[in-house]
Amino acid sequence: MQSKVRNAVIGIALILTAFLFVSYSRWPVETPLSQVLSPRENYYVQTEKLVHEVVDDLVNIRELNRPNEIKIQIVTVDWTKEHWGRKTNQAEIAQLKIEEEIYKALFIVPENFDLLAKKEQEAGSILAALAGDTLYFVSDYFDPYNEVNAKETIAHEVAHLLQSINFEIEESVDLDATLAQGALVEGEAEVAKARYLELVLNKNVDKDSFPVGNRTINVDEFFWLKWVAPGIFGIEFVEILYEEGGWSRVNEAFIDVPKSMEQIIHPEKYSIKEEYLDFEVEMIEDWKLERSDRFGELFTLLFLARHIPIDDARIAAEGWGGDHFVYFKKNNDYFFEWKTVWDSLSDTDEFMRALENLFGSVEAEEIAPKIWKVNEEYLKVNSSDWNVTIVGSSNYEALINQ
């Protein structure tokens, strides 16, 4: 994937605004200015002051071009739910519905699960975010008067702001590459934040870690990990690059962007540019193709971990060598095919054992050789050498004829 670094012109803040920041930080609360400003205006001024302070420090730490201007928006939880959680576009709603159907067909969520409601819930948990060229802070959660904690939050978002004006990454068309890009972006933001905290605030930051153990993950954990796990793995990935060659080595990764979560989870595979095997999409007559995607190692891990222990799922997924998923609809019926390829015969066997355990967990009934039924869904698994293909459908005849 081609990426390119673009230069941004270094801007100068407005003198009046700079004066206000300096003066406000030194005046006591009872000054005439504070009496004139409303609590919301005070909140904005304090947030803006902290943002500019963090930008100054982080630009120096990362040695990147600073933004010409800094746009800040104060919003509420209700606003984030409305604008980032609820979908008003019918095409987006239709895509969410297909995604929900796929999760149900793969036994990731129960039949009564509502993905649109889940998206709204996720949007309602956002503390701060960069959207476009604007930094958003959610007043229900973000406290600019607790300066240390506030600056920790701001540093992460400012790192994203610097990324947006210094680097350009082409948008990916598949889930795996999108997660890998997100891992790089989130990992770099966290590492930059950690350096800022150490150098400026003399504070160490605790890193999140991927869960381990002899347990499965629930539905909420699946979506939480799908959201944050790329960043968890991305931190280690970026730290390894930083150790290899400092920030210049990290910057190179924004030009030569990791192509898969496999390259993020196993940084040595990024170093040797290990590729994945792709598959041709095979159409089915009279069926409408609704989704064509590459899921990747992380999604495979989370899919398995819904029904088998996390440690076993991670071992089974780490031999991933490529996959392609297609989902078709015809009237009220669906049909999917998930082709996977593995790095070795032993990796294939490991994945097959994981699938057998998963089928046992969902109480699949084997109604014919290599054909199972789970509620109203039929499944079959074909394996050959390093390849495993999972086929599922609500239509038994479609399943056995493909």
Side-chain angles (χ1 to χ4, degrees):
M1 176 174 293
Q2 297 297 320
S3 305
K4 59 182 179 180
V5 179
R6 66 180 183 188
N7 293 321
V9 179
I10 299 178
I12 300 175
L14 292 174
I15 295 175
L16 180 60
T17 305
F19 171 77
L20 180 61
F21 291 157
V22 174
S23 301
Y24 180 76
S25 67
R26 294 178 180 175
W27 290 342
V29 174
E30 293 79 11
T31 59
L33 177 64
S34 67
Q35 294 173 4
V36 172
L37 295 177
S38 69
R40 182 174 177 81
E41 289 171 329
N42 272 317
Y43 182 101
Y44 182 91
V45 169
Q46 173 68 3
T47 300
E48 194 172 35
K49 176 182 79 75
L50 297 183
V51 168
H52 278 264
E53 290 175 0
V54 173
V55 167
D56 289 340
D57 290 324
L58 207 54
V59 163
N60 291 329
I61 292 170
R62 281 295 278 111
E63 299 178 345
L64 294 173
N65 294 324
R66 68 169 58 244
N68 291 330
E69 62 175 332
I70 303 171
K71 298 179 181 179
I72 297 170
Q73 185 79 23
I74 308 299
V75 297
T76 64
V77 168
D78 288 340
W79 187 96
T80 63
K81 288 181 178 180
E82 179 64 31
H83 291 80
W84 295 339
R86 303 183 185 114
K87 299 291 184 179
T88 56
N89 184 298
Q90 291 301 314
E92 291 178 321
I93 293 176
Q95 286 302 309
L96 274 179
K97 181 61 179 175
I98 292 299
E99 186 176 350
E100 178 184 301
E101 290 178 9
I102 291 170
Y103 288 146
K104 291 175 180 178
L106 294 176
F107 316 114
I108 291 171
V109 301
E111 285 301 315
N112 62 352
F113 182 80
D114 185 340
L115 184 57
L116 184 58
K118 185 64 179 178
K119 293 293 184 183
E120 182 178 338
Q121 179 188 16
E122 289 178 348
S125 68
I126 293 173
L127 172 67
L130 174 71
D133 60 353
T134 302
L135 292 167
Y136 290 83
F137 297 93
V138 181
S139 59
D140 305 69
Y141 304 137
F142 179 75
D143 180 7
Y145 303 105
N146 184 337
E147 292 200 7
V148 173
N149 288 346
K151 284 186 172 182
E152 181 173 346
T153 297
I154 292 170
H156 180 96
E157 301 309 327
V158 166
H160 286 321
L161 180 61
L162 296 183
Q163 292 167 355
S164 71
I165 67 171
N166 285 273
F167 310 110
E168 185 174 334
I169 302 177
E170 290 185 1
E171 186 176 355
S172 174
V173 296
D174 59 63
L175 175 64
D176 187 28
T178 299
L179 293 177
Q181 291 174 0
L184 172 63
V185 167
E186 293 298 327
E188 190 274 345
E190 278 297 294
V191 173
K193 180 188 80 174
R195 297 294 180 269
Y196 166 81
L197 292 176
E198 293 167 3
L199 297 173
V200 179
L201 301 182
N202 194 29
K203 177 183 177 182
N204 293 323
V205 60
D206 295 329
K207 293 190 298 184
D208 291 326
S209 58
F210 194 84
V212 297
N214 187 33
R215 66 176 184 86
T216 60
I217 59 175
N218 60 32
V219 172
D220 287 337
E221 246 185 320
F222 170 86
F223 285 100
W224 175 246
L225 289 171
K226 185 171 176 283
W227 193 1
V228 304
I232 293 174
F233 288 116
I235 293 171
E236 183 177 352
F237 176 82
V238 171
E239 286 179 337
I240 289 173
L241 295 183
Y242 184 83
E243 291 172 2
E244 290 177 358
W247 288 119
S248 62
R249 179 71 181 99
V250 176
N251 294 345
E252 290 172 2
F254 281 89
I255 302 172
D256 183 15
V257 180
K259 295 177 173 61
S260 68
M261 277 305 299
E262 179 187 47
Q263 292 186 342
I264 295 289
I265 298 172
H266 312 283
E268 69 280 3
K269 296 188 177 184
Y270 173 74
S271 298
I272 64 174
K273 303 303 180 218
E274 181 171 319
E275 296 285 351
Y276 54 84
L277 182 66
D278 208 349
F279 297 89
E280 293 290 333
V281 176
E282 298 177 6
M283 303 302 293
I284 303 177
E285 187 176 358
D286 297 329
W287 288 72
K288 181 184 177 183
L289 178 63
E290 296 284 2
R291 176 85 173 264
S292 175
D293 209 342
R294 187 179 82 246
F295 282 163
E297 180 175 341
L298 176 60
F299 183 90
T300 303
L301 190 169
L302 298 178
F303 156 71
L304 293 173
R306 276 290 289 117
H307 297 286
I308 71 171
I310 298 169
D311 291 348
D312 294 343
R314 187 160 184 176
I315 292 171
E318 67 182 5
W320 180 92
D323 76 63
H324 200 94
F325 179 91
V326 287
Y327 185 79
F328 297 89
K329 290 295 293 289
K330 181 179 180 181
N331 299 325
N332 292 324
D333 283 323
Y334 66 83
F335 177 95
F336 75 79
E337 185 175 57
W338 188 5
K339 294 182 178 180
T340 67
V341 63
W342 300 88
D343 290 337
S344 68
L345 292 176
S346 61
D347 290 321
T348 303
D349 292 340
E350 192 73 52
F351 182 62
M352 285 296 296
R353 285 194 293 271
L355 283 181
E356 290 172 2
N357 291 334
L358 184 151
F359 283 176
S361 175
V362 298
E363 299 181 348
E365 176 189 2
E366 189 168 10
I367 60 175
K370 297 185 179 179
I371 296 180
W372 291 263
K373 183 180 180 183
V374 184
N375 298 324
E376 299 304 316
E377 178 177 351
Y378 301 93
L379 296 144
K380 69 177 179 180
V381 178
N382 299 320
S383 63
S384 174
D385 296 330
W386 295 1
N387 298 279
V388 177
T389 300
I390 308 169
V391 182
S393 181
S394 56
N395 186 309
Y396 182 75
E397 294 299 322
L399 182 87
I400 62 176
N401 289 332
Q402 296 296 323

